[in-house]
Amino acid sequence: MSAVLIDVQDLVQQIGAQQILRGFSIQVHQGETLVLLGKSGGGKSVFLRHLIGLMKPVSGRVIVEGTDISGLGERELEWVRRKIGMVFQDGALFDSMSVFENVAFPLRERGERDEKKIAGKVRETLALVNMTGHEKKMPVNLSGGMRKRVALARAIVSPPDVILYDEPTAGLDPIVSDSINRLIRRMQRQLSATSIVVTHDMTSCYHIADRVALLNEGRLHFCGTVDELKNTTDPVVRDFIDGRSHEVD
Amino acid sequence: MNPIALLGGAFLGFCAYLGQLAELAGETFRSIFAGRIRLGLVLRQISHIGFGSQMVVIVTGAFTGAVFTAQTFFQFSRLNMESAVGPVISVAMCRELGPVLTGLMVAGRVGAAMTAELGTMKVTQQIDALRALAVHPVDYLVVPRTIAMLISLPLLVGECIFFGIVAAYLVATKILGVGAPYYLLNMYKFTEAEDIFMGVIKGLVFAVIIVLVSCREGLNARDGAVGVGRATTEAVVIGSLSVLIANFFLTMALNIFFPAGVS
């Protein structure tokens, strides 16, 4: 197995009186696609936000390339955020900017001033996510799937080492979901990026995962390959895979 | 609940709020002095804050000057002091009405828009997206607005004062029949450069208050559309009250450096 890129140790997070993460630990290896499964509201997105310092843990450590980032300040986190791109659940596109401006934003912020280069790079990246021809549209005029594609283009335009996907197929129809899954696979092949995908979509999980983890009650409950997941007899994992709530009609 | 605990809680909340404003101010001015300034965004904000607020400020200044002149004339004419209307209006416009009215108008128009914009960005994760792209929200959102406000507000104050005085002159001399030479002579005699400095200094202080309160409210908005609405209301209320309260203390403090009617 390749080197450990991200090492999360005993992560604890609390929002108000509710404990979201209760000592969650996991290692992410270079080049792999890790899918994190778990119930809605179970802390998957919260975990993801810790990996780029958008949230500070109550306790525990998040080690990226050997550096504990959990105590770093906003400005000290810049190097981590340049290495790790994030695709937010609803895209989080800047609604005052067009598709082109959104994708060009990271390039301009990282000092690129040559407008020809910027335009070329933006078009190339939009082509990669099948969004050619939509450059002038405003985010409000895009469908959910298109917004996610543009968000992905913005995250990868300055190629990151790691891409975090927060519910990339949530709220999308099966066909658009399949196209997003293929896109994630393509990103892995073309950019050789490490990917961490938070989802509760099993189809998506089987399609893209190298390794699957299940977050349950704030802790890591299961971690293994897709085959191990399919063959497990663990009742909690089986309930999740088979979609059983055990509630009576 | 124990009233002392309630009072203590409110006091601690107030201290925490002031702490947050101080922290935001520190981060903002550190960024400005470190040169993390995006000129394009500053110009866009100047256009929005300065250029876009002109009509509101001109109308407010002109009609306040006009009505203040009429009232002053009605009272002073009973004492045969009609020619004192000019200096009263010009000194009041420079020292108090110009900066305060501009501050209140800008807190309402620009402060509310700033909070609503930043608040919407906060609740739709756009600010998190900025942070995820290694862009500090203070550098990108607060610094351009602060610089634009520091440039625009003193100019708007000057504009408000100017149109207030012009409207006052027109009302006094053309409608109320005050002799133009006496009006102008007394106005020049009793209005000093210090009066204008005082207005400009107040404008600078109000600019900082409005921008920090508005940005703080926007950056801390939560709970979706309702939260943005709440933050916007609070920004206008806190911004306006802060302008009025700060104005009193500024008047007292600045009167030490620029005492009225001494030179």
Side-chain angles (χ1 to χ4, degrees), chain B residues 117-138:
Chain B
E117 187 180 353
L118 268 53
T120 306
M121 287 183 76
K122 176 78 194 311
V123 300
T124 54
Q125 292 190 315
Q126 290 178 58
I127 288 179
D128 282 340
L130 268 182
R131 296 169 66 203
L133 291 165
V135 177
H136 199 298
V138 168

Side-chain angles (χ1 to χ4, degrees), chain A residues 148-167:
Chain A
K148 285 185 178 171
R149 283 167 187 275
V150 177
L152 177 56
R154 186 178 66 183
I156 62 168
V157 70
S158 260
D161 296 342
V162 182
I163 308 175
L164 311 178
Y165 299 87
D166 190 2
E167 306 272 11

Side-chain angles (χ1 to χ4, degrees), chain A residues 107-220:
Chain A
L107 298 173
R108 295 202 169 116
E109 283 301 319
R110 284 165 203 188
E112 182 58 69
R113 293 286 171 266
D114 186 339
E115 284 301 319
K116 268 190 185 168
K117 262 191 193 170
I118 291 173
K121 187 77 187 154
V122 169
R123 287 204 187 93
E124 185 187 311
T125 312
L126 284 173
L128 205 62
V129 298
N130 299 331
M131 282 296 289
T132 302
H134 298 283
E135 290 88 344
K136 288 183 182 165
K137 283 189 180 163
M138 297 304 282
V140 71
N141 297 321
L142 300 177
S143 67
M146 287 162 106
R147 270 204 293 275
K148 285 185 178 171
R149 283 167 187 275
V150 177
L152 177 56
R154 186 178 66 183
I156 62 168
V157 70
S158 260
D161 296 342
V162 182
I163 308 175
L164 311 178
Y165 299 87
D166 190 2
E167 306 272 11
T169 56
L172 303 178
D173 66 62
I175 294 166
V176 179
S177 293
D178 181 61
S179 121
I180 295 281
N181 290 335
R182 287 175 193 281
L183 199 57
I184 294 171
R185 266 290 174 208
R186 202 177 335 142
M187 293 304 113
Q188 287 168 258
R189 282 197 307 271
Q190 295 188 3
L191 304 174
S192 312
T194 306
S195 303
I196 303 172
V197 184
V198 152
T199 187
H200 45 227
D201 176 350
M202 292 311 298
T203 314
S204 177
C205 169
Y206 293 143
H207 196 102
I208 59 182
D210 292 324
R211 211 153 55 97
V212 186
L214 178 76
L215 173 63
N216 186 49
E217 307 288 342
R219 293 186 185 89
L220 181 68

Side-chain angles (χ1 to χ4, degrees), chain B:
Chain B
M1 197 180 175
N2 182 353
I4 295 173
L6 212 67
L7 207 65
F11 179 71
L12 287 178
F14 177 68
C15 290
Y17 185 86
L18 287 184
Q20 286 171 5
L21 282 186
E23 203 179 334
L24 183 60
E27 191 68 49
T28 304
F29 286 103
R30 258 199 307 277
S31 283
I32 291 173
F33 292 124
R36 291 189 279 263
I37 297 169
R38 290 156 171 84
L39 207 58
L41 293 180
V42 173
L43 293 174
R44 199 183 305 165
Q45 288 299 324
I46 288 176
S47 155
H48 175 60
I49 297 168
F51 191 72
S53 303
Q54 284 192 88
M55 191 45 76
V56 173
V57 166
I58 288 170
V59 171
T60 306
F63 279 91
T64 305
V67 78
F68 191 29
T69 304
Q71 273 304 340
T72 312
F73 175 83
F74 298 147
Q75 303 304 320
F76 279 20
S77 60
R78 292 156 67 185
L79 304 166
N80 292 323
M81 286 173 62
E82 293 90 340
S83 60
V85 170
V88 167
I89 302 297
S90 66
V91 171
M93 283 305 296
C94 290
R95 285 183 168 247
E96 303 297 338
L97 292 176
V100 170
L101 291 173
T102 308
L104 292 177
M105 287 297 127
V106 171
R109 183 189 173 273
V110 178
M114 262 183 209
T115 306
E117 187 180 353
L118 268 53
T120 306
M121 287 183 76
K122 176 78 194 311
V123 300
T124 54
Q125 292 190 315
Q126 290 178 58
I127 288 179
D128 282 340
L130 268 182
R131 296 169 66 203
L133 291 165
V135 177
H136 199 298
V138 168
D139 294 355
Y140 192 79
L141 299 170
V142 185
V143 166
R145 284 166 173 78
T146 304
I147 296 173
M149 195 69 116
L150 283 169
I151 293 169
S152 303
L153 203 63
L155 293 174
L156 289 170
V157 167
E159 205 166 30
C160 182
I161 293 170
F162 175 77
F163 281 95
I165 290 173
V166 168
Y169 172 79
L170 293 174
V171 170
T173 59
K174 307 292 177 197
I175 300 174
L176 301 171
V178 178
Y182 291 114
Y183 186 97
L184 290 173
L185 184 73
N186 282 333
M187 192 179 86
Y188 288 137
K189 192 171 166 187
F190 291 103
T191 310
E192 291 147 5
E194 284 87 341
D195 298 326
I196 298 167
F197 286 149
M198 199 161 159
V200 171
I201 291 169
K202 282 186 175 182
L204 287 169
V205 175
F206 296 162
V208 174
I209 290 173
I210 295 165
V211 82
L212 288 178
V213 167
S214 307
C215 289
R216 186 263 164 209
E217 292 297 328
L219 293 172
N220 286 283
R222 59 179 130 181
D223 303 333
V226 174
V228 174
R230 195 170 47 228
T232 307
T233 308
E234 278 176 11
V236 175
V237 172
I238 296 171
S240 303
L241 291 179
S242 304
V243 163
L244 292 171
I245 294 167
N247 183 54
F248 169 73
F249 290 105
L250 277 170
T251 298
M252 302 307 280
L254 290 171
N255 207 51
I256 298 168
F257 300 105
F258 308 122
V262 164
S263 54

